[in-house]
Amino acid sequence: MHRNTRELLEWHARAPRETALEPDLPIVDAHHHLYGGAGDAHHYRFEDLEQDLGGGHKVLATVYVEAYEPGWRTDGPPALRPVGEVERIIKLTRTPTHHGCQVAAGIVAHADLTLGAAVAEVLAAHEAAGEGRLRGIRHVTPYEGGAVGRYVKGSPREHLLMVPAFREGMAQLARFGLSFDAWVYHPQLHGLCDFAAAFPDTPIVINHVGGLIGVEEDGYRADRAAHLAQWRGHLRRLAQLPNVSIKIGGLGMPVFGFGFEHADGPAASDVLARAWAPLIDTCIEAFGTQRCMFEANFPVDKQSCGYTALWNAFKVASRALSADERGDLFWRTACRVYRLPDVAERAAGA
């Protein structure tokens, strides 16, 4: 992350506060995190999210996604320690926010799929801890052999998706009716195609538009056209698999190479929309709106912009679409993929 939380707050204070566009448009934020405390250099607490939700957008619910190991148990069997994160998020989110948002209506937890069939014990423990809100599993797998890869926590193995034990663990998800959130970098999308085809009965959700790397390191920016073509080709192949959907977001992460983190203040929504539109359009053209969903990826995307500006940018970038298509992107796809019928009913009646 380019800035720690204290630096981010100071940086964001330099920008004028945006007014939420189309404040009556229902939103389900398909991807965010909560971790750390005020004493940690990097943190995003429930109260921080609540403050962001106060920007004026109609965010009815969110999907919580594992990250940074908050609440993990510090003792007991290592495989079961991630269950503490689910226990923590349940305690934090038993009641809606002051803004009426149902935080963590769906939960995507971590489980070590390299455990193979033994991961079933972990999935059962997650299910019990989740009190009916567990929807999926994410075992992060972004691998890059150069400078970019050194910033990935835990340094995932190359070709982890192809490891037999990982696939044996993946096969357990269908038994529990769970989806798999896939976080990879774009050079790995070819392997994700083979992986997703091997599990046709398990919904697979590509995170962060497929992780298009665009930084200067290792020549990604210099060869931008070639990498864009590779990324587009892989997404089209993945879109042929009916069990695969994609999250549109994560674009505020510095790894995408837009460089907003180097500005004097966070980017405004019109600037974001212009920069992000080609990637957003590519995802929609490949998957159709019924398999695309918008995500905030906060607080990680806070390195580029504020929460209100981010959703404004998505609204601006999608203005040419029909009301039904925008409904897919902003709430309907997330409700379907993460099985949130009560939230869908609220959104439809909003």
Side-chain angles (χ1 to χ4, degrees), residues 1 31-36 42-44 64-72 82 85-86 88-89 107-111 138-140 153 183 207-208 297-300:
M1 295 185 187
H31 191 116
H32 75 91
H33 313 291
L34 293 173
Y35 57 89
H42 295 282
H43 63 264
Y44 193 63
Y64 173 84
V65 180
E66 66 82 29
Y68 309 112
E69 303 179 5
W72 278 34
E85 183 171 5
V86 175
R88 172 182 180 269
I89 199 66
I107 296 173
V108 177
H110 170 79
R138 186 171 80 155
H139 180 145
V140 295
K153 188 178 187 300
W183 171 212
N207 290 183
H208 315 325
N297 191 38
F298 255 53
V300 188

Side-chain angles (χ1 to χ4, degrees), residues 244-248 280-294 318 320-334 336-337:
V244 179
S245 56
I246 190 166
K247 290 182 181 178
I248 298 176
I280 293 172
D281 292 345
T282 294
C283 292
I284 294 172
E285 288 165 5
F287 286 88
T289 59
Q290 293 185 359
R291 287 194 287 154
C292 292
M293 66 192 91
F294 285 134
S318 64
L321 300 175
S322 70
D324 280 347
E325 289 171 327
R326 297 180 88 209
D328 291 337
L329 295 168
F330 283 99
W331 62 270
R332 196 175 292 114
T333 300
R336 177 180 55 79
V337 171

Side-chain angles (χ1 to χ4, degrees), residues 176-206:
F176 288 83
L178 298 173
S179 60
F180 176 72
D181 265 50
W183 171 212
V184 299
Y185 287 132
H186 78 270
Q188 299 173 273
L189 291 173
H190 175 75
L192 184 60
C193 289
D194 175 80
F195 181 79
F199 298 96
D201 297 325
T202 300
I204 292 175
V205 187
I206 303 170

Side-chain angles (χ1 to χ4, degrees), residues 228-264:
L228 275 169
Q230 181 188 46
W231 170 74
R232 289 191 181 105
H234 289 328
L235 286 192
R236 292 189 185 107
R237 285 189 57 214
L238 281 159
Q240 294 174 16
L241 302 171
N243 61 319
V244 179
S245 56
I246 190 166
K247 290 182 181 178
I248 298 176
L251 301 168
M253 292 190 289
V255 71
F256 279 86
F258 290 107
F260 294 126
E261 69 276 8
H262 299 300
D264 291 336

Side-chain angles (χ1 to χ4, degrees), residues 44-164:
Y44 193 63
R45 303 159 298 170
F46 184 86
E47 51 264 47
D48 299 319
L49 173 62
E50 190 164 41
Q51 183 174 355
D52 283 332
L53 290 169
H57 291 293
K58 197 183 195 72
V59 184
L60 298 180
T62 74
V63 176
Y64 173 84
V65 180
E66 66 82 29
Y68 309 112
E69 303 179 5
W72 278 34
R73 297 171 180 173
T74 56
D75 55 15
L80 291 172
R81 291 179 185 177
V83 178
E85 183 171 5
V86 175
E87 295 168 334
R88 172 182 180 269
I89 199 66
I90 289 293
K91 290 177 182 177
L92 285 174
T93 61
R94 288 194 185 280
T95 58
T97 69
H98 296 314
H99 312 290
C101 176
Q102 186 179 353
V103 176
I107 296 173
V108 177
H110 170 79
D112 181 1
L113 296 183
T114 64
L115 293 169
V119 80
E121 179 185 5
V122 182
L123 302 182
H126 275 317
E127 188 173 60
E131 299 183 0
R133 288 197 259 165
L134 181 69
R135 293 296 184 269
I137 293 296
R138 186 171 80 155
H139 180 145
V140 295
T141 57
Y143 173 85
E144 200 277 336
V148 173
R150 291 198 291 272
Y151 292 94
V152 180
K153 188 178 187 300
S155 300
R157 292 168 55 185
E158 186 176 9
H159 308 308
L160 182 58
L161 295 175
M162 308 305 166
V163 172

